[in-house]
Amino acid sequence: MFLAMRIFIIIFIFLSTASVVKSQDGYLQSYDFLGRGLGFDNLLLKEDTLIVYGNVQNPESAQWGLYFAKLDTMGNILSEQTHYDSLGDTYLFDNGYKMINTSDDGFAIVGQLFLRNHPILVKLDQNGQLEFVREYPDDTVLNIRHWNVVETISGYISTGVKQQLTDGYWDAFIMGTDKAGNKLWETSYGMFGVWDQFPGIVEIAQDDFLLTGSTCISSSQVENKEDMWCIPKAIKIDSTGIITWEWEGEISYFTGGSIASLRQVFPTMDQNWVNPGSIAIVTADNELKYQAQIMKRDAAFNILWNTPFGQPTSNRNRFTTLAPAPDGGWVAVGEYVNRPEGDPLGGYQAAMIAKVNADGDSLWSRTDTLFDHTMIASRPYLGGVVVLPSGSIIACGRVDKTFPDPAKSYGILIKVDREGCMEPNCNPITNSTNLTPLIASFKVFPNPAQDRILVRGEGRFDLQIMDQNGRLIVSVNDLWEEGEVDLADFAAGTYFLQVQQGSARLTKKILKQ
Protein backbone atom coordinates (compact mmCIF):
# COMPACT_ATOMS: atom_id res chain seq x y z
CA MET A 1 0.00 0.00 0.00
CA PHE A 2 2.79 2.40 0.93
CA LEU A 3 4.69 1.56 -2.29
CA ALA A 4 1.59 2.09 -4.43
CA MET A 5 0.96 5.45 -2.71
CA ARG A 6 4.58 6.46 -3.27
CA ILE A 7 4.35 5.66 -6.99
CA PHE A 8 1.11 7.69 -7.24
CA ILE A 9 2.78 10.68 -5.60
CA ILE A 10 5.74 10.47 -7.97
CA ILE A 11 3.44 10.36 -11.02
CA PHE A 12 1.36 13.29 -9.70
CA ILE A 13 4.44 15.45 -9.10
CA PHE A 14 5.80 14.53 -12.54
CA LEU A 15 2.65 15.84 -14.16
CA SER A 16 3.08 19.08 -12.23
CA THR A 17 6.77 19.72 -12.92
CA ALA A 18 9.23 17.99 -15.26
CA SER A 19 12.21 18.66 -12.99
CA VAL A 20 11.11 16.09 -10.39
CA VAL A 21 11.64 13.21 -12.82
CA LYS A 22 15.38 13.89 -12.79
CA SER A 23 15.44 13.52 -9.01
CA GLN A 24 14.38 9.87 -9.13
CA ASP A 25 17.09 7.49 -8.00
CA GLY A 26 18.85 5.52 -10.72
CA TYR A 27 21.36 2.71 -10.35
CA LEU A 28 23.49 0.07 -11.98
CA GLN A 29 22.71 -2.99 -9.88
CA SER A 30 24.81 -6.14 -10.32
CA TYR A 31 23.99 -9.56 -8.88
CA ASP A 32 26.77 -11.98 -7.92
CA PHE A 33 25.40 -15.30 -6.65
CA LEU A 34 27.03 -18.51 -5.52
CA GLY A 35 28.50 -20.49 -8.36
CA ARG A 36 30.07 -19.11 -11.50
CA GLY A 37 27.19 -17.50 -13.28
CA LEU A 38 23.93 -15.58 -13.34
CA GLY A 39 22.41 -13.64 -16.20
CA PHE A 40 19.09 -11.94 -16.92
CA ASP A 41 17.55 -12.50 -20.37
CA ASN A 42 14.39 -10.37 -20.19
CA LEU A 43 11.84 -8.87 -17.81
CA LEU A 44 8.27 -7.64 -17.61
CA LEU A 45 6.44 -5.23 -15.34
CA LYS A 46 3.36 -6.24 -13.32
CA GLU A 47 1.97 -3.21 -11.50
CA ASP A 48 4.98 -2.13 -9.40
CA THR A 49 6.88 -5.44 -9.53
CA LEU A 50 9.61 -6.51 -11.94
CA ILE A 51 9.50 -10.12 -13.13
CA VAL A 52 12.93 -11.24 -14.34
CA TYR A 53 14.06 -14.49 -15.90
CA GLY A 54 17.42 -15.81 -17.06
CA ASN A 55 20.03 -18.48 -16.44
CA VAL A 56 21.81 -19.46 -13.24
CA GLN A 57 24.61 -21.96 -12.75
CA ASN A 58 24.37 -24.69 -10.17
CA PRO A 59 27.07 -23.90 -7.54
CA GLU A 60 27.84 -27.61 -7.26
CA SER A 61 28.16 -28.42 -10.98
CA ALA A 62 28.50 -26.93 -14.46
CA GLN A 63 24.75 -27.27 -15.04
CA TRP A 64 22.79 -24.12 -15.93
CA GLY A 65 19.13 -23.77 -14.99
CA LEU A 66 16.25 -21.32 -15.14
CA TYR A 67 16.33 -18.31 -12.80
CA PHE A 68 13.07 -16.49 -11.95
CA ALA A 69 12.78 -13.54 -9.57
CA LYS A 70 10.39 -10.83 -8.46
CA LEU A 71 12.02 -7.49 -7.61
CA ASP A 72 10.87 -4.04 -6.64
CA THR A 73 11.73 -1.15 -8.95
CA MET A 74 14.79 -0.32 -6.85
CA GLY A 75 16.26 -3.72 -7.73
CA ASN A 76 15.70 -5.47 -4.39
CA ILE A 77 14.86 -9.17 -4.70
CA LEU A 78 11.44 -9.97 -3.24
CA SER A 79 11.40 -13.68 -4.12
CA GLU A 80 13.27 -16.06 -6.39
CA GLN A 81 13.10 -19.57 -7.81
CA THR A 82 15.68 -21.73 -9.58
CA HIS A 83 14.85 -24.79 -11.66
CA TYR A 84 17.28 -27.36 -13.07
CA ASP A 85 16.80 -30.23 -15.52
CA SER A 86 16.35 -33.45 -13.54
CA LEU A 87 18.72 -35.35 -15.88
CA GLY A 88 21.57 -32.87 -15.49
CA ASP A 89 21.19 -31.10 -18.84
CA THR A 90 21.45 -27.32 -19.27
CA TYR A 91 18.52 -25.01 -20.02
CA LEU A 92 19.29 -22.38 -22.68
CA PHE A 93 17.22 -19.20 -23.11
CA ASP A 94 18.27 -16.62 -25.67
CA ASN A 95 18.89 -13.02 -24.66
CA GLY A 96 16.06 -10.63 -25.54
CA TYR A 97 13.23 -13.10 -26.09
CA LYS A 98 10.21 -12.60 -23.95
CA MET A 99 8.60 -14.37 -21.04
CA ILE A 100 4.81 -14.00 -21.21
CA ASN A 101 2.29 -13.52 -18.44
CA THR A 102 -0.37 -16.17 -19.09
CA SER A 103 -4.14 -15.94 -18.66
CA ASP A 104 -3.99 -17.95 -15.39
CA ASP A 105 -1.55 -15.31 -14.01
CA GLY A 106 1.41 -17.63 -14.48
CA PHE A 107 4.31 -17.39 -16.91
CA ALA A 108 5.56 -19.22 -20.00
CA ILE A 109 9.02 -19.29 -21.62
CA VAL A 110 10.53 -21.30 -24.47
CA GLY A 111 14.13 -22.40 -24.89
CA GLN A 112 16.11 -25.57 -25.49
CA LEU A 113 18.14 -28.26 -23.77
CA PHE A 114 21.84 -28.07 -24.62
CA LEU A 115 22.89 -31.74 -24.63
CA ARG A 116 19.65 -33.40 -25.65
CA ASN A 117 19.11 -30.67 -28.29
CA HIS A 118 15.35 -30.52 -27.68
CA PRO A 119 13.10 -27.46 -27.80
CA ILE A 120 11.28 -26.91 -24.50
CA LEU A 121 8.25 -25.04 -23.21
CA VAL A 122 8.43 -24.05 -19.53
CA LYS A 123 5.28 -23.17 -17.59
CA LEU A 124 5.49 -21.48 -14.16
CA ASP A 125 2.78 -20.46 -11.72
CA GLN A 126 2.36 -16.88 -10.46
CA ASN A 127 5.13 -17.38 -7.87
CA GLY A 128 7.61 -18.91 -10.30
CA GLN A 129 7.06 -22.48 -9.12
CA LEU A 130 7.49 -25.03 -11.91
CA GLU A 131 4.27 -26.46 -13.36
CA PHE A 132 5.86 -28.36 -16.25
CA VAL A 133 8.70 -28.54 -18.75
CA ARG A 134 7.71 -30.12 -22.08
CA GLU A 135 10.34 -31.45 -24.51
CA TYR A 136 9.84 -31.83 -28.27
CA PRO A 137 12.53 -34.22 -29.59
CA ASP A 138 13.51 -34.14 -33.27
CA ASP A 139 16.41 -36.39 -34.23
CA THR A 140 16.19 -35.49 -37.92
CA VAL A 141 18.00 -32.13 -37.52
CA LEU A 142 21.46 -30.94 -36.46
CA ASN A 143 20.66 -28.15 -34.05
CA ILE A 144 17.62 -26.35 -32.64
CA ARG A 145 16.92 -22.85 -31.31
CA HIS A 146 13.60 -22.01 -29.66
CA TRP A 147 12.87 -18.30 -29.22
CA ASN A 148 9.42 -16.81 -28.69
CA VAL A 149 5.96 -17.82 -27.52
CA VAL A 150 2.43 -16.38 -27.44
CA GLU A 151 -0.71 -17.69 -25.77
CA THR A 152 -3.83 -18.63 -27.74
CA ILE A 153 -7.33 -19.34 -26.47
CA SER A 154 -6.58 -23.07 -26.35
CA GLY A 155 -2.81 -23.21 -25.88
CA TYR A 156 0.48 -21.73 -27.11
CA ILE A 157 2.28 -20.98 -30.37
CA SER A 158 6.07 -20.86 -30.36
CA THR A 159 8.70 -20.24 -33.00
CA GLY A 160 12.33 -21.18 -33.58
CA VAL A 161 14.75 -22.67 -36.09
CA LYS A 162 16.07 -26.14 -36.92
CA GLN A 163 19.40 -26.66 -38.66
CA GLN A 164 18.77 -29.14 -41.46
CA LEU A 165 20.83 -32.26 -42.17
CA THR A 166 20.40 -31.77 -45.90
CA ASP A 167 22.19 -28.41 -46.26
CA GLY A 168 23.34 -27.33 -42.78
CA TYR A 169 21.19 -24.17 -42.76
CA TRP A 170 18.22 -23.02 -40.69
CA ASP A 171 14.59 -23.60 -41.51
CA ALA A 172 12.04 -21.77 -39.40
CA PHE A 173 9.57 -23.85 -37.43
CA ILE A 174 6.27 -22.83 -35.85
CA MET A 175 4.66 -25.09 -33.26
CA GLY A 176 1.23 -25.20 -31.62
CA THR A 177 0.47 -26.86 -28.28
CA ASP A 178 -2.46 -27.15 -25.92
CA LYS A 179 -2.47 -25.54 -22.44
CA ALA A 180 -0.66 -28.56 -21.00
CA GLY A 181 2.13 -28.22 -23.55
CA ASN A 182 1.17 -31.23 -25.67
CA LYS A 183 2.18 -30.65 -29.30
CA LEU A 184 -0.77 -30.35 -31.67
CA TRP A 185 0.95 -29.31 -34.91
CA GLU A 186 4.22 -28.06 -36.39
CA THR A 187 4.88 -26.07 -39.58
CA SER A 188 8.26 -25.69 -41.33
CA TYR A 189 9.26 -22.71 -43.48
CA GLY A 190 12.50 -22.53 -45.45
CA MET A 191 14.47 -22.88 -48.66
CA PHE A 192 17.54 -24.96 -49.46
CA GLY A 193 20.94 -23.32 -48.96
CA VAL A 194 19.86 -20.21 -47.03
CA TRP A 195 19.15 -19.15 -43.43
CA ASP A 196 15.40 -18.82 -42.76
CA GLN A 197 14.03 -17.55 -39.47
CA PHE A 198 10.91 -16.03 -37.91
CA PRO A 199 12.05 -15.07 -34.41
CA GLY A 200 9.26 -12.52 -33.83
CA ILE A 201 5.66 -13.44 -33.07
CA VAL A 202 2.82 -11.19 -31.91
CA GLU A 203 -0.95 -11.59 -31.68
CA ILE A 204 -2.67 -8.95 -33.86
CA ALA A 205 -6.28 -10.15 -33.51
CA GLN A 206 -8.15 -13.15 -32.16
CA ASP A 207 -6.86 -16.23 -33.98
CA ASP A 208 -4.50 -14.05 -36.04
CA PHE A 209 -0.74 -14.01 -35.39
CA LEU A 210 2.06 -12.14 -37.15
CA LEU A 211 5.53 -13.68 -37.49
CA THR A 212 8.49 -11.62 -38.69
CA GLY A 213 11.97 -12.59 -39.79
CA SER A 214 14.14 -13.00 -42.85
CA THR A 215 15.90 -15.16 -45.40
CA CYS A 216 19.65 -14.44 -45.57
CA ILE A 217 22.99 -15.83 -46.67
CA SER A 218 25.98 -15.72 -44.33
CA SER A 219 29.58 -14.54 -44.67
CA SER A 220 30.76 -18.16 -45.04
CA GLN A 221 28.81 -18.41 -48.31
CA VAL A 222 30.54 -15.55 -50.12
CA GLU A 223 34.11 -14.47 -50.79
CA ASN A 224 33.28 -10.76 -50.66
CA LYS A 225 31.02 -9.82 -47.77
CA GLU A 226 29.39 -7.10 -49.90
CA ASP A 227 27.69 -9.94 -51.78
CA MET A 228 25.80 -11.01 -48.68
CA TRP A 229 22.06 -10.28 -48.71
CA CYS A 230 18.89 -10.48 -46.64
CA ILE A 231 15.20 -10.43 -47.51
CA PRO A 232 12.85 -9.27 -44.72
CA LYS A 233 9.71 -11.38 -44.47
CA ALA A 234 6.44 -11.58 -42.57
CA ILE A 235 3.62 -14.11 -42.46
CA LYS A 236 0.28 -14.38 -40.71
CA ILE A 237 -1.03 -17.65 -39.31
CA ASP A 238 -4.12 -18.78 -37.42
CA SER A 239 -4.09 -20.86 -34.26
CA THR A 240 -3.87 -24.09 -36.29
CA GLY A 241 -0.70 -23.01 -38.07
CA ILE A 242 -2.28 -22.29 -41.46
CA ILE A 243 -0.52 -19.43 -43.28
CA THR A 244 -3.13 -16.85 -44.25
CA TRP A 245 -0.90 -14.04 -45.61
CA GLU A 246 2.72 -13.54 -46.69
CA TRP A 247 4.91 -10.48 -47.27
CA GLU A 248 8.39 -10.30 -48.73
CA GLY A 249 10.50 -7.14 -48.83
CA GLU A 250 13.11 -6.22 -51.37
CA ILE A 251 16.43 -8.04 -51.40
CA SER A 252 19.05 -5.94 -49.61
CA TYR A 253 22.75 -6.46 -50.36
CA PHE A 254 25.38 -5.46 -47.82
CA THR A 255 27.01 -3.11 -50.33
CA GLY A 256 26.78 0.38 -48.81
CA GLY A 257 24.91 -0.86 -45.75
CA SER A 258 22.06 -3.35 -45.50
CA ILE A 259 18.92 -2.96 -43.40
CA ALA A 260 18.96 -5.93 -41.07
CA SER A 261 16.08 -8.40 -40.78
CA LEU A 262 12.80 -8.06 -38.89
CA ARG A 263 13.90 -9.81 -35.71
CA GLN A 264 10.89 -8.61 -33.71
CA VAL A 265 8.26 -5.93 -34.27
CA PHE A 266 6.19 -3.95 -31.77
CA PRO A 267 2.82 -2.29 -32.49
CA THR A 268 2.52 1.50 -32.27
CA MET A 269 -0.47 3.61 -31.21
CA ASP A 270 -1.05 4.67 -34.84
CA GLN A 271 -1.31 1.02 -35.96
CA ASN A 272 2.15 0.82 -37.46
CA TRP A 273 5.26 -1.05 -36.31
CA VAL A 274 8.67 -0.34 -34.78
CA ASN A 275 11.54 -2.77 -34.64
CA PRO A 276 15.04 -2.81 -33.12
CA GLY A 277 18.04 -4.03 -35.02
CA SER A 278 21.17 -2.97 -36.81
CA ILE A 279 22.57 -1.86 -40.16
CA ALA A 280 25.26 -4.11 -41.68
CA ILE A 281 28.29 -2.34 -43.12
CA VAL A 282 31.23 -3.90 -45.00
CA THR A 283 34.52 -2.06 -44.49
CA ALA A 284 37.20 -1.50 -47.11
CA ASP A 285 39.17 -4.49 -45.76
CA ASN A 286 36.13 -6.78 -46.09
CA GLU A 287 35.17 -6.80 -42.40
CA LEU A 288 31.52 -6.90 -41.38
CA LYS A 289 30.41 -4.35 -38.78
CA TYR A 290 27.05 -3.12 -37.49
CA GLN A 291 25.40 0.10 -36.41
CA ALA A 292 22.48 -0.22 -33.98
CA GLN A 293 19.17 1.28 -35.15
CA ILE A 294 15.50 1.80 -34.33
CA MET A 295 13.12 1.66 -37.29
CA LYS A 296 9.45 2.46 -37.86
CA ARG A 297 7.41 0.78 -40.59
CA ASP A 298 3.84 1.37 -41.74
CA ALA A 299 1.14 -1.33 -41.71
CA ALA A 300 2.45 -2.61 -45.06
CA PHE A 301 6.04 -2.71 -43.67
CA ASN A 302 7.28 0.24 -45.73
CA ILE A 303 10.03 2.10 -43.86
CA LEU A 304 8.83 5.44 -42.40
CA TRP A 305 12.01 6.36 -40.54
CA ASN A 306 15.25 4.76 -39.45
CA THR A 307 17.39 6.15 -36.62
CA PRO A 308 20.94 4.80 -36.14
CA PHE A 309 22.96 5.12 -32.92
CA GLY A 310 26.68 4.99 -32.37
CA GLN A 311 29.19 4.09 -35.04
CA PRO A 312 29.87 0.85 -36.96
CA THR A 313 32.65 -0.14 -34.59
CA SER A 314 32.01 -3.89 -34.29
CA ASN A 315 29.92 -6.83 -35.45
CA ARG A 316 28.47 -6.94 -31.92
CA ASN A 317 26.62 -3.62 -32.09
CA ARG A 318 22.85 -4.12 -32.00
CA PHE A 319 19.60 -3.44 -30.21
CA THR A 320 17.93 -6.61 -28.95
CA THR A 321 14.55 -5.24 -27.89
CA LEU A 322 12.62 -2.06 -27.12
CA ALA A 323 9.64 -0.69 -25.18
CA PRO A 324 7.19 2.21 -25.59
CA ALA A 325 7.50 5.29 -23.37
CA PRO A 326 4.54 7.26 -21.93
CA ASP A 327 5.54 10.33 -23.98
CA GLY A 328 5.09 8.41 -27.26
CA GLY A 329 8.78 7.66 -27.76
CA TRP A 330 10.64 4.36 -27.76
CA VAL A 331 13.52 3.02 -25.67
CA ALA A 332 15.88 0.39 -27.09
CA VAL A 333 18.55 -1.69 -25.34
CA GLY A 334 21.42 -3.85 -26.51
CA GLU A 335 25.20 -3.75 -26.69
CA TYR A 336 27.85 -1.50 -28.19
CA VAL A 337 31.63 -1.53 -28.58
CA ASN A 338 33.17 1.81 -27.64
CA ARG A 339 36.36 2.78 -29.50
CA PRO A 340 37.58 5.89 -27.65
CA GLU A 341 40.39 7.76 -29.35
CA GLY A 342 43.76 6.99 -27.83
CA ASP A 343 42.58 3.92 -25.88
CA PRO A 344 45.68 1.67 -25.70
CA LEU A 345 43.49 -1.46 -25.58
CA GLY A 346 41.44 -0.49 -28.60
CA GLY A 347 38.11 -0.05 -26.83
CA TYR A 348 35.66 -1.95 -24.69
CA GLN A 349 32.19 -3.51 -24.78
CA ALA A 350 29.27 -1.89 -22.98
CA ALA A 351 25.54 -2.13 -22.37
CA MET A 352 23.62 0.42 -24.46
CA ILE A 353 20.31 2.26 -23.90
CA ALA A 354 18.89 4.78 -26.41
CA LYS A 355 15.66 6.74 -26.84
CA VAL A 356 13.83 8.26 -29.80
CA ASN A 357 10.67 10.38 -29.84
CA ALA A 358 7.52 9.43 -31.76
CA ASP A 359 8.96 10.98 -34.94
CA GLY A 360 12.18 9.01 -34.73
CA ASP A 361 14.38 11.87 -33.57
CA SER A 362 17.32 10.73 -31.46
CA LEU A 363 16.92 12.06 -27.90
CA TRP A 364 19.87 10.44 -26.11
CA SER A 365 21.92 7.29 -25.77
CA ARG A 366 24.24 5.98 -23.08
CA THR A 367 26.62 3.08 -22.57
CA ASP A 368 27.43 1.49 -19.20
CA THR A 369 30.00 -1.00 -18.00
CA LEU A 370 30.47 -2.92 -14.77
CA PHE A 371 34.27 -3.11 -14.81
CA ASP A 372 37.16 -0.86 -15.72
CA HIS A 373 38.15 -2.39 -19.06
CA THR A 374 41.85 -1.60 -18.54
CA MET A 375 41.88 -4.14 -15.69
CA ILE A 376 39.09 -6.62 -16.44
CA ALA A 377 37.84 -7.96 -19.79
CA SER A 378 34.07 -8.36 -19.89
CA ARG A 379 31.06 -8.30 -22.20
CA PRO A 380 27.98 -6.44 -20.87
CA TYR A 381 24.75 -6.58 -22.84
CA LEU A 382 21.07 -5.92 -22.25
CA GLY A 383 18.15 -8.14 -23.21
CA GLY A 384 15.05 -6.54 -21.68
CA VAL A 385 13.58 -3.14 -20.90
CA VAL A 386 10.44 -1.71 -19.29
CA VAL A 387 9.34 1.90 -18.91
CA LEU A 388 7.58 2.95 -15.69
CA PRO A 389 4.54 5.30 -15.72
CA SER A 390 6.90 8.08 -14.57
CA GLY A 391 8.98 7.60 -17.72
CA SER A 392 11.90 6.05 -15.83
CA ILE A 393 13.56 3.14 -17.60
CA ILE A 394 14.73 -0.19 -16.19
CA ALA A 395 16.82 -2.53 -18.35
CA CYS A 396 18.14 -6.01 -17.54
CA GLY A 397 20.98 -8.09 -18.88
CA ARG A 398 24.20 -9.79 -17.99
CA VAL A 399 27.95 -9.20 -17.85
CA ASP A 400 30.25 -12.05 -18.84
CA LYS A 401 33.67 -11.50 -17.25
CA THR A 402 36.31 -13.39 -19.22
CA PHE A 403 39.59 -12.16 -17.71
CA PRO A 404 41.21 -12.51 -15.26
CA ASP A 405 40.21 -15.97 -14.13
CA PRO A 406 37.91 -17.22 -12.85
CA ALA A 407 35.41 -16.44 -15.60
CA LYS A 408 32.04 -15.42 -14.17
CA SER A 409 28.67 -13.99 -15.22
CA TYR A 410 26.70 -11.31 -13.35
CA GLY A 411 23.07 -10.31 -13.69
CA ILE A 412 22.56 -6.56 -14.09
CA LEU A 413 19.74 -4.03 -13.79
CA ILE A 414 20.15 -0.44 -14.97
CA LYS A 415 17.67 2.28 -14.02
CA VAL A 416 17.71 5.79 -15.51
CA ASP A 417 15.13 8.56 -15.72
CA ARG A 418 13.32 9.63 -18.89
CA GLU A 419 16.28 11.84 -19.83
CA GLY A 420 18.78 9.01 -19.55
CA CYS A 421 20.17 10.20 -16.20
CA MET A 422 21.28 7.72 -13.57
CA GLU A 423 22.07 10.48 -11.09
CA PRO A 424 19.86 13.54 -10.42
CA ASN A 425 20.46 16.67 -12.48
CA CYS A 426 22.88 15.06 -14.91
CA ASN A 427 23.44 16.65 -18.28
CA PRO A 428 22.84 13.79 -20.73
CA ILE A 429 24.61 13.96 -24.06
CA THR A 430 24.34 11.68 -27.04
CA ASN A 431 26.59 8.64 -26.71
CA SER A 432 27.51 9.48 -23.09
CA THR A 433 29.56 6.86 -21.28
CA ASN A 434 29.38 5.81 -17.64
CA LEU A 435 32.31 3.81 -16.32
CA THR A 436 31.20 2.55 -12.93
CA PRO A 437 33.53 1.76 -10.01
CA LEU A 438 34.92 -1.73 -9.57
CA ILE A 439 32.07 -2.56 -7.21
CA ALA A 440 31.79 -6.11 -8.53
CA SER A 441 35.28 -6.80 -7.11
CA PHE A 442 33.98 -6.57 -3.52
CA LYS A 443 34.68 -9.75 -1.56
CA VAL A 444 32.28 -11.30 0.97
CA PHE A 445 33.64 -14.11 3.14
CA PRO A 446 33.28 -16.61 4.60
CA ASN A 447 30.29 -17.78 2.58
CA PRO A 448 28.58 -19.95 3.82
CA ALA A 449 29.03 -18.27 7.20
CA GLN A 450 28.27 -19.13 10.82
CA ASP A 451 28.86 -16.20 13.16
CA ARG A 452 29.95 -13.29 10.96
CA ILE A 453 30.83 -12.12 7.49
CA LEU A 454 33.43 -9.65 6.28
CA VAL A 455 32.97 -7.32 3.30
CA ARG A 456 36.08 -5.84 1.66
CA GLY A 457 36.42 -3.51 -1.30
CA GLU A 458 37.72 -0.13 -2.44
CA GLY A 459 36.63 3.21 -0.99
CA ARG A 460 33.54 4.11 1.03
CA PHE A 461 30.40 2.01 0.81
CA ASP A 462 27.08 1.22 2.48
CA LEU A 463 25.66 -2.24 3.01
CA GLN A 464 22.29 -3.80 3.72
CA ILE A 465 21.13 -7.35 4.39
CA MET A 466 17.64 -8.51 3.37
CA ASP A 467 15.87 -11.80 3.94
CA GLN A 468 14.34 -13.86 1.12
CA ASN A 469 11.12 -11.87 1.35
CA GLY A 470 12.94 -8.58 0.74
CA ARG A 471 12.68 -7.40 4.36
CA LEU A 472 15.55 -5.22 5.56
CA ILE A 473 17.40 -6.77 8.53
CA VAL A 474 20.69 -4.87 8.76
CA SER A 475 21.78 -1.49 7.41
CA VAL A 476 25.30 -0.05 7.91
CA ASN A 477 26.44 3.19 6.27
CA ASP A 478 29.71 4.95 5.56
CA LEU A 479 32.09 2.01 5.77
CA TRP A 480 35.66 2.36 4.50
CA GLU A 481 37.14 -0.58 2.55
CA GLU A 482 35.98 -3.15 5.13
CA GLY A 483 32.85 -3.96 7.11
CA GLU A 484 31.80 -6.76 9.43
CA VAL A 485 28.29 -8.05 10.17
CA ASP A 486 27.44 -10.22 13.17
CA LEU A 487 25.23 -13.14 12.06
CA ALA A 488 25.01 -14.89 15.43
CA ASP A 489 21.33 -14.06 15.91
CA PHE A 490 20.34 -14.81 12.28
CA ALA A 491 18.28 -17.91 11.59
CA ALA A 492 19.93 -20.42 9.29
CA GLY A 493 19.05 -19.80 5.64
CA THR A 494 19.66 -17.61 2.59
CA TYR A 495 20.01 -13.81 2.69
CA PHE A 496 20.86 -11.05 0.20
CA LEU A 497 23.68 -8.63 0.97
CA GLN A 498 23.71 -5.36 -1.00
CA VAL A 499 26.82 -3.16 -1.29
CA GLN A 500 26.30 0.39 -2.58
CA GLN A 501 28.69 3.06 -3.85
CA GLY A 502 26.85 6.03 -5.30
CA SER A 503 24.61 4.74 -8.12
CA ALA A 504 26.45 1.41 -8.35
CA ARG A 505 25.18 -1.56 -6.36
CA LEU A 506 26.12 -5.18 -5.98
CA THR A 507 23.86 -7.90 -4.55
CA LYS A 508 25.44 -11.11 -3.27
CA LYS A 509 23.66 -14.16 -1.92
CA ILE A 510 24.95 -15.33 1.46
CA LEU A 511 24.20 -18.56 3.35
CA LYS A 512 23.93 -18.62 7.15
CA GLN A 513 24.60 -22.08 8.58
Side-chain angles (χ1 to χ4, degrees), residues 189-206:
Y189 189 107
M191 298 186 298
F192 187 87
V194 294
W195 302 89
D196 291 287
Q197 59 177 319
F198 285 107
I201 181 169
V202 60
E203 183 177 13
I204 53 179
Q206 185 172 336

Side-chain angles (χ1 to χ4, degrees), residues 130-177:
L130 185 66
E131 292 187 358
F132 63 75
V133 177
R134 296 286 181 262
E135 299 180 38
Y136 309 98
D138 186 346
D139 297 330
T140 68
V141 296
L142 293 170
N143 194 23
I144 294 172
R145 307 289 290 276
H146 202 193
W147 286 325
N148 258 330
V149 62
V150 293
E151 186 177 19
T152 69
I153 294 177
S154 58
Y156 302 97
I157 297 177
S158 60
T159 181
V161 290
K162 295 184 177 182
Q163 188 178 17
Q164 301 300 306
L165 285 169
T166 52
D167 61 2
Y169 296 103
W170 285 350
D171 282 355
F173 77 90
I174 310 157
M175 180 176 64
T177 72

Side-chain angles (χ1 to χ4, degrees), residues 106-148:
F107 303 92
I109 317 163
V110 295
Q112 59 265 6
L113 288 162
F114 177 67
L115 297 176
R116 301 206 289 278
N117 194 31
H118 297 165
I120 58 172
L121 168 64
V122 181
K123 179 66 173 62
L124 307 172
D125 68 14
Q126 62 181 340
N127 297 313
Q129 296 285 354
L130 185 66
E131 292 187 358
F132 63 75
V133 177
R134 296 286 181 262
E135 299 180 38
Y136 309 98
D138 186 346
D139 297 330
T140 68
V141 296
L142 293 170
N143 194 23
I144 294 172
R145 307 289 290 276
H146 202 193
W147 286 325
N148 258 330

Side-chain angles (χ1 to χ4, degrees), residues 49-65:
T49 301
L50 300 172
I51 313 295
V52 177
Y53 90 93
N55 279 103
V56 63
Q57 190 174 38
N58 191 323
E60 299 177 356
S61 70
Q63 181 186 16
W64 287 79

Side-chain angles (χ1 to χ4, degrees), residues 2 69 162 233 267 271 412 426 430:
F2 172 78
K162 295 184 177 182
K233 293 184 176 181
Q271 299 181 343
I412 56 171
C426 80
T430 301

Side-chain angles (χ1 to χ4, degrees), residues 37-104:
L38 174 71
F40 300 150
D41 291 321
N42 212 329
L43 79 169
L44 55 86
L45 181 67
K46 286 192 64 179
E47 298 175 347
D48 56 1
T49 301
L50 300 172
I51 313 295
V52 177
Y53 90 93
N55 279 103
V56 63
Q57 190 174 38
N58 191 323
E60 299 177 356
S61 70
Q63 181 186 16
W64 287 79
L66 168 64
Y67 182 78
F68 172 97
K70 293 184 178 182
L71 304 94
D72 63 25
T73 55
M74 292 306 296
N76 299 308
I77 297 175
L78 305 176
S79 65
E80 61 166 0
Q81 300 290 338
T82 56
H83 304 290
Y84 296 98
D85 175 58
S86 60
L87 299 180
D89 208 336
T90 282
Y91 291 143
L92 295 179
F93 305 98
D94 278 6
N95 174 259
Y97 292 104
K98 60 188 177 183
M99 169 176 56
I100 62 171
N101 193 190
T102 55
S103 57
D104 61 356

Side-chain angles (χ1 to χ4, degrees), residues 214-217 225-232 249-262 275-283 287-293 295 297 303 306 308 312 317:
S214 63
T215 295
C216 300
I217 64 169
K225 292 185 175 62
E226 289 189 345
D227 294 329
M228 295 169 58
W229 53 263
C230 273
I231 302 173
E250 294 183 0
I251 188 170
S252 181
Y253 286 90
F254 283 25
T255 304
S258 169
I259 302 299
S261 63
L262 288 171
N275 66 274
S278 54
I279 302 172
I281 296 172
V282 180
T283 65
E287 289 189 12
L288 184 62
K289 297 186 177 181
Y290 289 91
Q291 188 174 18
Q293 68 173 358
M295 178 184 295
R297 298 174 181 264
I303 298 173
N306 176 46
N317 298 340

Side-chain angles (χ1 to χ4, degrees), residues 443-446 452-456 482-485 497:
K443 305 298 183 183
V444 177
F445 59 94
R452 65 186 185 118
I453 58 169
L454 290 174
V455 181
R456 288 180 181 167
E482 182 175 288
E484 179 178 325
V485 179
L497 181 144

